[in-house]
């Protein structure tokens, strides 16, 4: 008889298109159309099988001519597939340390940058906002970082497009978080080695949402928020400053009148910050046109910075279509993303200037010829030393620094399952990441001290053009050989990646259109480029569904190295044992999942080191310096420092892991312990004077080891009809030690990475190297007196000692969510313990009369009463080293699902309204501001643009 | 398609491309002059400050006063910069010498004419290298010693001892004597053979300090060679440090050249002009003063009065409103304590400011004379007085009186201001050198040679950190080797006392 019917989704009640329907035991088949209807001829009593990817298959016996079928999503099936390099695998076949985070687990609340969706969710991955600037990305650090000077950023693969590492976090901030479906984080070498030279810092595979067959679904989200600055440096008020100036005058012998103090009490930090508004709207359409599943989305973000005048606008459009052809033998997946960004940058140096600027002066001065802003006019003749020290408000309001960019990331994947040999498939993945930017910079003629140059008018159109392209061809073979209880999954591939950017250079003009002397560039453009060519293979062998062995190998050739050092080989091997499937556990009520993993692998690193460092080259010297010889003016040349023997940095990682689940996975988690050794470290080292054309150079020197463990725990303590409670916790511990630094004697101090941070053998990366402060009987520090450790009568570098590392040892994340009926409430926290920060505020009187500008002091002046400038030793005192351990509440979120209020007749629509606060509070003893700010030791104490606190509301409509 | 792995920079050149033409070599040569002259760095400015701020000739207003107090430690940042810049310059020179070796030139197919021209460049670069090593010898005594082999073989440089470095500089200069252009025949701004002799004369004058053995005969020999090479004093001392001082080719032996439209740098003579405290734009020819440098009372005391009516070199700035500036320095931080010196002025001989062809309004055209004839006169006279042979007292007196005649009458042949032979003493030479060459970067070296730098033999304001002056440890005759180099180069030992 002819059987007809409709196939729907049990959940959404929507028709399902493209469902496979086969009469069992025959070749007789059909598929559902766009409306979920089908028609098939089958004998009465025959069994018809309905199957659809991601849904539980259903079998029906033919009794009459109408069979309507409702198919349920196979939660098990969805969970079970995990993305790994160049494909996916069943979770049970996974042998490496891989954490997959799906949208259900994403950070709730207001998120403008994609990576914040998973911040503090993945043990071993530290994701910290780079700054509070709108559109700024985050820094990533995996398991303490593999490198010293090369990049510590993981490789990002977005919908199959590997993104240039140098642009990694930037690529994420150009994504609309609402488009993202999942993150898969490959942490250990056995998982990441398939990415070879780009895998040392882990790999983060990101997939965006794609279309599913069925009727049109629309989702609209609108969000609004207000952000406020959280941290201010505690500096002197105008009144305090006037008092301190009296003392400064006595100490220095400079009359107070020469300080030209004002009468105001200006809090410059209040003057530069604002409450910043952000709106973020996005809409997506998904469904199927005939058998063509699609998803289209648009997003618009308009974000003000807490630093006045800063603004970031982002428009995104994404398109995904994933049709199948040739009886499902050819799967096509096309992804195109378009991003346009407009940014007005607020000059971040205004923060440092506001901390230091004279608090006795008013923001505005009616007599000022500099646009009405008060300025240090007495230093107008000295732009060289004054540079940057002008009124911070004028820096923000007078300077217009705008960039706009457009970017597109796209790829097409053709996955062809051979008709004559269905176990074998060929996949071609090719795509691009192109971008173009321009900038406009304007400073009016009355900006101080640019008055001499009559303003600055500068624009670059285009400023730069990036054309990164890649192609991958992979051949995979998947076979279940039931006779020997084996499953074989083999992959072989070739990849070509080319990264090319063209930077354009332009002269600058004054406001009258005249070219500024010395601004004509040497060249109109420069095209830095590098290329990577790779061959790789992988075998996953599963025996009896319980024992899994994985081996991978990859060889990479990079244009960043000379022919002799160009190719690197990166193997890995790993195994897993699914203990819970063994007979002695398979019936256990308590233990629902138990898997043991072990792996070893080699990964490489070649990013963050420049494209041509192995080639001895000469660059044309500055165009503004032409030496007069005879009657000519001759431009110089600068030879570059060269390391002809530069090669791959290489990491080997061993990983032991245990995945477990109790009580039907109500409680589940994983535990990983690892040991990673990095050899041939690409290291920015201070080289002996006279050996090359630089004070420091990146060389392959030394070894570094990281060891630690990670715990992830998820629990659902309560789950019933009305009430649910979920709890998540993760903890990572990392110990970092440098084991070798030079070819020869390693007993010396080591290599400085800043004035106070040193890399020494036997110690952690970036260990503080400072003096012991001497204190008086009242436990107050005595100015510039340090302990003479070696008792030689002199205080010198031999009296400095190595103490804490600047990296935290313990990192924890907690999150919890409650839901009662349609009300949901969630919170997220994270905590770093054993973290130290050297906070050296300006606490001596010399700030008041240092002449270049009369800088303000920190309130700590009243604790120290330090008076002298040029205290070389004091700058390195452990008095300034603080324990900066903290607990932060990152997020609190409340939401209510109003259900199908939009159209009560249909239940495929709903409205969810939520309110949240980001960066809620921080508990810490640290006194210098945000303990997580990036510290640039020795230059910018108190000058960082901190992530703000954000209050937001949002509404999401699905229909 | 693994050929795609050969990627090269777009605008930079490999060494074979850079040095494929004689113009490429000249660019390399000019690169060494740029580095030496502070046109793209603070090397010479740093050197000048180490030579002046440690003495009675200058104090500075801002920042640390440890340099003035003669009270620095091994992390003395001010001396560290000059050290690393100097060794960078030596590395540039080593590289040029390698790239210009006879075999390399032949391999690159240069003609014999070009080869002989490049040979002159090489001789100039070796001179510059010797000059840089002399600066390191004078400041640090026992610096790191990179050679061409260091660069060729990526070796870690050895340390050289003061006496050995003296011998090296002497042998280098003697080896290139005659290979540079003859005196006064090279392009303006490039060193010639007279520069080689001048440096030898200066080296030999200080041989007792550097080597422990006197070389006054040699000092006389080489200063005399320069004196006899056709130079003469310009007629007006005030012309020496003006914006149009490129005209002083009679007296200048070797100069660093600056041009306000072509050299954008804060490491040149503009710092000596703008740094002079309180000097207004109408005098220095650029803009108002940076209020940076003043002079201790010891220097005005060497002159008959503190205005240029008698000795025209007494260019002391006492402020328009004289009451607001004091001769005495009660506070180093007070920019009005102490007179300053308006010797460097970016004006022409007629007194008009030079047009500023840059966006800063503060850059200098004043060329800096590294060697000028007056120094050779003073070396000759001092070496004769110290018992050197090959010269004679009457010539010494005649040379000194030329300097005096010019100072008092704008005429080297005038008898005004002249001294007689009984007045010609070593101490007179030291004082006369201060009068003639103050703020030209000589004072520290001279005071060390006279054993007055660290001892109680001579005290000036704020020497040793006290206003009346105090003796300090003799270790301060040498600056410390910078910690960064001590830590990165295991071959180095710190100078005694640090």
């Amino acid at each position: 008889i002819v059987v007809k019917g409709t196939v729907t989704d049990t959940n959404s009640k929507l028709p399902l298109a493209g469902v496979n329907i086969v009469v069992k035991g025959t070749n007789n088949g059909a598929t559902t159309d766009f409306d979920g209807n089908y028609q098939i001829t089958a004998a009465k009593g025959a069994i018809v099988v309905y199957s659809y990817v991601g849904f539980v298959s259903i079998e029906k016996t033919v009794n009459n001519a109408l069979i309507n079928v409702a198919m349920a999503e196979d939660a098990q099936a969805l969970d079970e597939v995990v993305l790994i390099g160049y494909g996916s695998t069943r979770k049970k076949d996974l042998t490496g340390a891989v954490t997959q985070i799906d949208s259900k687990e994403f950070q709730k609340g207001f998120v403008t940058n994609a990576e914040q969706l998973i911040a503090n969710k993945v043990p071993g991955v530290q994701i910290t906002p780079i700054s509070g600037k709108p559109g700024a990305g985050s820094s990533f650090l995996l398991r303490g970082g593999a490198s010293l000077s090369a990049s510590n950023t993981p490789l990002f693969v977005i919908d199959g497009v590997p993104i240039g590492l140098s642009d990694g976090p930037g690529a994420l901030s150009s994504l609309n978080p609402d488009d993202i479906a999942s993150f898969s984080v490959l942490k250990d070498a056995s998982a990441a080695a398939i990415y070879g030279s780009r895998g040392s810092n882990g790999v983060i595979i990101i997939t965006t949402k794609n279309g599913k067959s069925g009727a049109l679904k629309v989702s609209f989200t609108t969000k609004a928020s207000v952000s406020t600055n959280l941290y201010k440096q505690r500096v002197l008020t105008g009144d305090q400053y006037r008092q301190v100036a009296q003392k400064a005058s006595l100490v220095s012998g400079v009359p107070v009148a020469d300080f030209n103090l004002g009468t105001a009490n200006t809090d410059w930090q209040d003057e530069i910050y604002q409450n910043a508004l952000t709106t973020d709207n996005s809409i997506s359409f998904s469904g199927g046109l005939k058998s063509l599943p699609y998803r289209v989305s648009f997003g618009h973000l308009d974000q003000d910075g807490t630093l006045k005048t800063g603004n970031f606008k982002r428009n995104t459009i994404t398109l995904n279509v994933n049709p199948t052809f040739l009886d499902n033998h050819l799967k096509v997946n096309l992804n195109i993303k378009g991003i346009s960004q407009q940014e007005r940058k607020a000059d971040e140096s205004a923060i440092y200037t506001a901390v230091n600027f004279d608090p006795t002066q008013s923001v505005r001065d009616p007599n000022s010829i500099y646009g009405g802003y008060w300025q240090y006019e007495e230093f107008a003749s000295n732009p060289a030393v004054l540079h940057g020290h002008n009124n911070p408000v004028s820096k923000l309001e007078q300077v217009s620094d705008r960039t706009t960019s457009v970017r597109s990331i796209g790829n097409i994947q053709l996955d062809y399952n051979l008709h004559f040999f269905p176990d074998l498939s060929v996949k071609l993945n090719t795509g691009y990441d192109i971008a173009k930017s321009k900038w406009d910079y304007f400073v009016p003629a009355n900006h101080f001290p640019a008055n001499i140059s009559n303003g600055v008018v500068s624009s670059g159109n285009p400023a730069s053009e990036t054309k990164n392209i890649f192609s991958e061809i992979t051949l995979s073979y998947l076979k279940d050989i039931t006779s020997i209880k084996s499953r074989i999954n083999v992959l072989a591939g070739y990849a070509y990646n080319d990264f090319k950017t063209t930077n354009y250079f332009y002269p600058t003009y004054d406001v009258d259109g005249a070219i500024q002397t010395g601004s004509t560039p040497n060249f109109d453009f420069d095209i830095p480029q590098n290329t990577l060519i790779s061959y790789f293979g992988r075998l996953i062998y599963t025996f009896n569904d319980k024992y899994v062995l994985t081996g991978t190998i990859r060889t990479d050739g990079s244009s960043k190295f000379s022919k002799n050092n160009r190719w690197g080989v990166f193997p890995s091997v790993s195994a897993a044992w699914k203990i819970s499937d063994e007979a002695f556990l398979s019936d256990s009520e308590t233990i629902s999942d138990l898997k043991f993993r072990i792996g070893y692998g080699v990964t490489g690193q070649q990013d963050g080191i420049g494209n041509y460092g192995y080639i001895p080259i000469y660059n044309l010297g500055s165009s503004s310096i032409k030496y007069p010889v005879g009657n000519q003016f001759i431009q110089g040349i600068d030879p570059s420092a060269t390391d002809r023997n530069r090669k791959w940095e290489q990491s080997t990682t061993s990983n032991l892991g245990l995945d477990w689940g109790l009580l039907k996975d109500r409680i589940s988690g994983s535990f990983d312990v690892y040991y990673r050794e990095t050899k041939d470290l690409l290291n920015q080292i201070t080289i002996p004077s006279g050996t090359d054309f630089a004070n420091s150079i990146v060389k392959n020197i030394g070894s570094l080891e990281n060891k630690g463990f990670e715990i992830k725990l998820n629990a659902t303590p309560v789950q019933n009809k009305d009430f649910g409670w979920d709890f998540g916790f993760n903890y990572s511990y990392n110990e970092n030690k440098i084991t070798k630094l030079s070819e020869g004697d390693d007993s010396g101090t080591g290599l400085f990475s800043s004035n106070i941070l040193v890399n020494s053998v036997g110690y952690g990366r970036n260990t503080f190297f400072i003096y012991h402060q001497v204190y008086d009987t009242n436990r107050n520090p005595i100015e510039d007196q340090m302990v003479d450790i070696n008792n030689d009568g002199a205080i010198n570098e031999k009296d400095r000692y190595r103490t804490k590392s600047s990296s935290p040892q313990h990192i924890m994340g907690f999150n919890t969510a409650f839901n009662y009926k349609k009300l949901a409430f969630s919170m997220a926290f994270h905590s770093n313990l054993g973290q130290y920060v050297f906070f050296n505020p300006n606490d001596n009187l010399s700030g008041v009369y240092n002449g270049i500008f009369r800088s303000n002091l920190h309130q700590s002046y009243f604790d120290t009463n330090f008076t002298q400038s040029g205290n070389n030793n004091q700058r390195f005192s452990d008095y300034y080293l603080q324990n900066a351990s903290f607990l932060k509440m990152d997020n609190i979120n409340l939401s209510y699902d109003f259900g199908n209020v939009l159209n009560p007749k249909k239940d495929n629509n709903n409205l969810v309204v939520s309110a949240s606060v980001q960066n809620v509070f921080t508990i810490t003893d640290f006194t210098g501001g945000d303990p997580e700010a990036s510290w640039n030791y020795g230059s910018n104490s108190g000058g960082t643009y901190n992530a703000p606190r954000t209050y937001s509301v949002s509404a999401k409509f699905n229909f | 398609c693994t050929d795609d792995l050969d990627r090269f920079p777009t605008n930079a050149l490999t060494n074979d491309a850079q040095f494929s033409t004689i113009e490429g070599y000249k660019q390399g040569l000019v690169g060494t002059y740029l580095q030496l002259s502070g046109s793209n760095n603070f090397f010479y400015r740093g050197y000048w400050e180490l030579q002046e701020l440690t003495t009675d000739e200058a104090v500075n207003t801002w920042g640390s006063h440890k340099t003035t107090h003669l009270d620095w430690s091994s992390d003395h940042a001010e001396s560290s910069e000059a050290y690393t810049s100097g060794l960078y310059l030596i590395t540039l020179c080593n590289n040029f010498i390698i790239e210009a070796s006879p075999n390399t030139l032949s391999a690159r197919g240069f003609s014999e004419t070009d080869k002989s021209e490049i040979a002159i460049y090489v001789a100039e670069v070796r001179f510059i290298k010797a000059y840089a090593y002399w600066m390191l010898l004078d400041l640090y005594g026992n610096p790191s010693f990179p050679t061409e082999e260091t660069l060729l073989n990526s070796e870690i440089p050895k340390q050289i001892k003061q006496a050995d470095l003296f011998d090296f500089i002497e042998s280098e200069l003697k080896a290139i004597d005659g290979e540079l252009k003859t005196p006064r025949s090279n392009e303006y701004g490039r060193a010639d053979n007279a520069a080689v002799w001048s440096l030898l004369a200066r080296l030999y004058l200080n041989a007792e300090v550097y080597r422990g053995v006197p070389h006054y005969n040699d000092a006389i020999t080489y200063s005399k060679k320069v004196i006899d090479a056709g130079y003469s004093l310009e007629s007006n001392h005030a012309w020496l440090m003006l914006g149009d001082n490129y005209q002083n080719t009679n007296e200048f032996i070797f100069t660093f050249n600056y041009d306000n439209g072509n050299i954008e740098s804060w490491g040149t003579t503009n710092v000596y002009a703008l740094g002079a405290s309180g000097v207004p734009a109408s005098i220095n020819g650029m803009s108002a003063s940076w209020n940076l440098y003043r002079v201790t009372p010891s220097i005005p005391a060497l002159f008959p009065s503190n205005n240029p009516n008698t000795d025209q070199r007494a260019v002391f700035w006492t402020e328009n409103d004289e009451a607001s500036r004091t001769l005495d320095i009660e506070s180093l931080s007070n920019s009005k304590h102490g007179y300053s010196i308006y010797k460097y002025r970016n004006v022409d001989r007629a007194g008009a400011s030079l047009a500023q062809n840059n966006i800063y309004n503060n850059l200098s055209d004043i060329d800096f004379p590294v060697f000028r004839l007056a120094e050779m006169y003073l070396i000759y006279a001092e070496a004769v007085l110290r018992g050197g042979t090959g010269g004679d007292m009457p010539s010494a007196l005649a040379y000194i009186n030329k300097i005096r005649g010019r100072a008092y009458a704008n005429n080297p042949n005038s008898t005004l201001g002249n001294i007689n032979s009984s007045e010609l003493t070593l101490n007179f030479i030291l004082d006369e050198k201060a009068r003639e060459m103050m703020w030209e970067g000589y004072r520290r070296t001279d005071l060390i040679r006279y054993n007055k730098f660290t001892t109680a033999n001579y005290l000036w304001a704020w020497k040793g950190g006290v206003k009346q002056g105090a003796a300090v440890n003799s270790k301060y005759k040498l600056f410390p080797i910078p910690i960064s180099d001590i830590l990165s180069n295991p071959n180095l030992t710190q100078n005694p006392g640090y």
Side-chain angles (χ1 to χ4, degrees), chain A residues 863-912:
Chain A
D863 302 332
T864 66
N865 287 300
F866 289 169
T867 60
Q868 296 302 310
S869 62
N871 285 334
N872 278 329
N873 300 333
Q874 190 64 47
R875 289 185 295 143
F876 304 117
S877 163
D878 61 2
Y879 175 67
Y880 298 115
L881 189 66
Q882 293 192 28
N883 187 331
S885 300
F886 64 86
L887 169 70
K888 278 190 178 183
M889 182 176 190
D890 302 311
N891 179 273
I892 181 166
N893 183 69
L894 184 69
S895 69
Y896 187 78
D897 184 347
F898 286 92
N900 54 343
V901 290
L902 299 167
N903 183 352
K905 286 177 186 163
K906 293 178 78 174
D907 57 0
N908 66 341
N909 64 78
N910 69 341
L911 164 63
V912 180

Side-chain angles (χ1 to χ4, degrees), chain A residues 252 381 452 496 531 618 626, chain B residues 4 7 13 262 331 359 362:
Chain A
S252 67
S381 69
I452 294 163
Y496 176 95
T531 303
Y618 291 79
K626 299 189 182 78
Chain B
D4 282 0
R7 300 287 187 207
L13 300 173
N262 284 289
S331 160
I359 63 172
N362 256 346

Side-chain angles (χ1 to χ4, degrees), chain A residues 2-241:
Chain A
V2 174
V3 180
K4 287 183 183 176
T6 308
V7 182
T8 53
D9 179 344
T10 46
N11 199 20
S12 68
K13 313 284 192 267
L14 293 172
L16 285 172
V19 176
N20 268 314
I21 300 151
V22 192
V23 181
K24 203 169 186 178
T26 71
N27 287 329
N28 183 11
T31 53
T32 56
D33 65 11
F34 178 65
D35 297 320
N37 298 325
Y38 73 94
Q39 179 173 326
I40 195 167
T41 310
K44 254 194 174 173
I47 293 168
V48 182
V49 182
Y50 301 80
S51 62
Y52 189 61
V53 176
F55 286 74
V56 180
S57 293
I58 287 180
E59 296 187 0
K60 293 273 180 188
T61 309
V62 178
N63 291 323
N64 55 48
L66 179 69
I67 305 180
N68 288 329
V69 177
M71 294 180 73
E73 277 194 51
D74 186 349
Q76 197 74 11
L78 283 178
D79 276 344
E80 272 201 338
V81 176
V82 173
L83 290 166
I84 56 173
Y86 304 98
S88 58
T89 179
R90 297 185 302 177
K91 194 176 180 192
K92 61 163 63 165
D93 291 344
L94 202 60
T95 53
V98 177
T99 306
Q100 180 152 322
I101 305 272
D102 296 317
S103 55
K104 275 179 289 185
E105 294 173 66
F106 285 170
Q107 174 84 45
K108 302 287 188 296
F110 191 71
V111 167
T112 53
N113 278 348
E115 67 275 8
Q116 289 300 325
L117 294 170
I118 58 162
N120 313 312
K121 304 257 182 195
V122 186
V125 183
Q126 219 181 323
I127 300 175
T128 314
I130 294 168
S131 89
K133 185 171 91 81
S138 304
S139 68
F140 288 72
L141 197 63
L142 180 99
R143 291 182 166 176
S147 192
L148 286 181
S149 302
S151 172
N152 272 320
T153 303
L155 169 67
F156 298 99
V157 180
I158 302 174
D159 288 333
V161 183
I163 299 294
L165 266 202
S166 53
D167 192 32
L172 293 200
S173 62
S174 66
L175 296 179
N176 179 356
D178 285 339
D179 289 334
I180 296 187
S182 75
F183 289 83
S184 186
V185 184
L186 318 187
K187 290 189 286 191
D188 72 340
S190 59
I194 191 77
Y195 286 102
S197 67
R198 307 179 72 192
S200 266
N201 292 302
V203 181
I204 298 185
I205 299 174
I206 297 166
T207 49
T208 60
K209 294 171 182 160
N210 57 13
K212 277 187 193 142
S213 300
L216 174 66
K217 278 198 224 175
V218 180
S219 178
F220 173 69
T221 308
T222 180
K223 302 175 196 167
S225 74
V226 57
S227 300
T228 65
N229 178 52
L230 266 183
Y231 296 99
K232 266 170 50 176
Q233 290 297 324
R234 299 181 303 119
V235 293
L236 302 192
T237 64
D239 290 336
Q240 287 176 318
Y241 189 90

Side-chain angles (χ1 to χ4, degrees), chain B residues 104-357:
Chain B
T104 309
L105 290 179
S106 299
R108 289 179 179 151
F110 281 95
S111 69
E112 290 307 312
T113 322
D114 284 349
K115 281 186 194 170
S116 54
E117 179 70 17
I118 293 170
I120 295 171
Y121 298 171
V122 172
E124 285 177 47
V125 168
R126 288 174 69 182
F127 163 75
I128 290 167
K129 179 177 161 181
Y131 188 84
Y133 265 130
W134 168 74
M135 291 163 82
L136 296 179
L137 169 68
D138 194 65
L139 295 173
Y140 309 94
N142 312 289
S144 180
F145 186 67
T147 63
E148 287 112 70
E149 282 67 36
T150 313
L151 204 54
L152 279 174
N153 308 330
S154 304
E155 287 167 2
I156 292 177
K158 302 262 190 313
Q159 187 165 24
I160 192 164
K161 291 284 164 210
Q162 219 172 354
D164 298 330
L165 185 54
F166 175 93
D167 293 346
F168 170 79
I169 297 168
E170 180 190 26
S171 69
E172 270 294 285
L173 290 170
K174 286 196 163 166
I176 58 173
D177 186 359
E179 294 193 13
L180 285 79
K181 293 228 174 182
T182 54
R184 313 186 67 198
S185 71
N186 208 347
E187 290 179 294
Y188 181 64
R190 284 173 56 192
D192 60 26
N193 227 38
V196 177
W197 300 334
S198 300
L199 183 53
L200 276 166
R202 200 186 279 175
L203 183 74
Y204 286 133
L205 183 71
N206 293 289
E208 272 196 282
V209 176
Y210 303 145
R211 188 79 179 81
V213 289
H215 273 272
Y216 297 113
N217 306 351
D218 294 317
I220 291 169
T221 305
Y222 282 95
S223 56
K224 189 83 173 86
K225 276 189 163 203
V226 181
I227 291 166
D228 292 344
Y231 296 97
S232 60
L233 295 185
E234 296 292 337
S235 61
N236 190 333
H237 188 269
W239 292 349
L240 293 177
M241 298 303 181
L242 299 184
D244 60 354
N245 66 349
Y246 59 85
Q247 299 177 68
N248 301 342
T249 50
N250 290 323
E251 181 168 348
F252 288 176
I253 298 158
F254 171 50
T255 54
F256 296 154
N257 295 350
Y258 304 114
D259 180 277
N260 82 59
N262 284 289
I263 292 187
E264 189 179 293
S265 169
W266 310 100
T268 78
T269 46
N270 65 339
V271 179
Y272 318 141
L274 290 163
S277 185
V279 176
S282 58
I283 304 278
N284 70 27
M286 288 179 276
S287 65
S289 169
W290 292 356
N291 290 324
L292 193 55
Y293 304 128
R294 295 106 64 197
V295 62
T296 73
S298 303
I299 299 298
L302 298 173
F303 288 85
S305 79
N306 59 29
N307 69 55
N309 296 342
T310 316
D311 186 331
Q312 305 190 0
R313 300 170 300 188
V315 285
F316 296 107
W317 180 252
T318 56
E319 208 76 3
N320 288 325
D321 164 21
E322 293 223 12
S324 66
R325 183 170 291 278
T326 58
L327 173 66
D328 273 342
I329 300 173
E330 285 294 331
S331 160
L332 288 171
S333 301
N334 190 325
S335 70
K336 290 184 177 168
H337 288 183
Y339 295 165
S340 74
I341 296 175
Y342 59 96
K343 184 174 192 173
Y344 294 86
R345 303 169 57 207
N346 205 38
V347 299
D348 62 18
R349 287 181 178 184
S353 299
L354 283 104
Q356 289 282 327
N357 301 311

